[in-house]
Amino acid sequence: MVKRFPVEGKGRCSAVQSGGLVYAVATDPHCADGITEQTHNTLDELDRVLARAGSSKTGLVQATVYLTDISAKPAMDAVWCEWIGPEDNWPQRACVGAQLDEGYLIEIVVVATVL
C-alpha cells in the first residue's frame, strides 16, 4: 500500500509512505535570506512533513542535503546538529552541491521509518 501526501504543485508529493518507510522532501517555504535561516525553515518544514506522514526526525534513516553553495555546509551543519539532537537520531547523511530553483539555497530529501 502506498499513501501519498501531495503538495500544491502538480506532479509531486511532499511525502510518500510505503512499506513502513516515509520518503520526504522539504525546502524553505519562505525562501529566507541566508543559509542559516533557510536551514532552520527547511528543518521546520521537514518536521511538519514527517509528522503528517507518521514519522519524525527520530525515525530518520537516510538524508541527502542539497546546497546551492557547498561552501555553506559548515553553517548548515551548525543548524542541522542543533536540530537533529543526540546520536540516536543521526541518519546516514550526504551533502551535495546542486543547482536549485531560484531563491532556494537548500533542499533536504529523507527516508524515515513510520513511527
Side-chain angles (χ1 to χ4, degrees):
M1 183 174 152
V2 176
K3 186 173 182 182
R4 301 177 196 284
F5 300 86
V7 292
E8 289 183 20
K10 282 186 154 187
R12 62 185 183 268
C13 292
S14 61
V16 173
Q17 186 188 94
S18 180
L21 295 174
V22 172
Y23 304 85
V25 62
T27 56
D28 177 1
H30 312 293
C31 280
D33 290 334
I35 191 63
T36 298
E37 191 64 28
Q38 276 209 22
T39 301
H40 278 292
N41 293 344
T42 299
L43 293 171
D44 287 347
E45 180 69 6
L46 187 58
D47 281 334
R48 188 189 68 72
V49 169
L50 287 170
R52 184 173 173 227
S55 192
S56 75
K57 66 184 169 189
T58 64
L60 287 178
V61 176
Q62 189 275 332
T64 304
V65 179
Y66 297 93
L67 298 169
T68 57
D69 179 1
I70 198 69
S71 71
K73 184 178 177 291
M76 180 280 300
D77 272 336
V79 178
W80 171 276
C81 289
E82 178 183 314
W83 173 80
I84 198 64
E87 189 173 336
D88 290 349
N89 294 350
W90 297 358
Q92 175 277 321
R93 193 191 83 180
C95 293
V96 180
Q99 186 173 351
L100 301 174
D101 283 346
E102 186 175 338
Y104 293 94
L105 304 177
I106 183 171
E107 184 168 346
I108 302 174
V109 178
V110 300
V111 178
T113 58
V114 175
L115 301 174

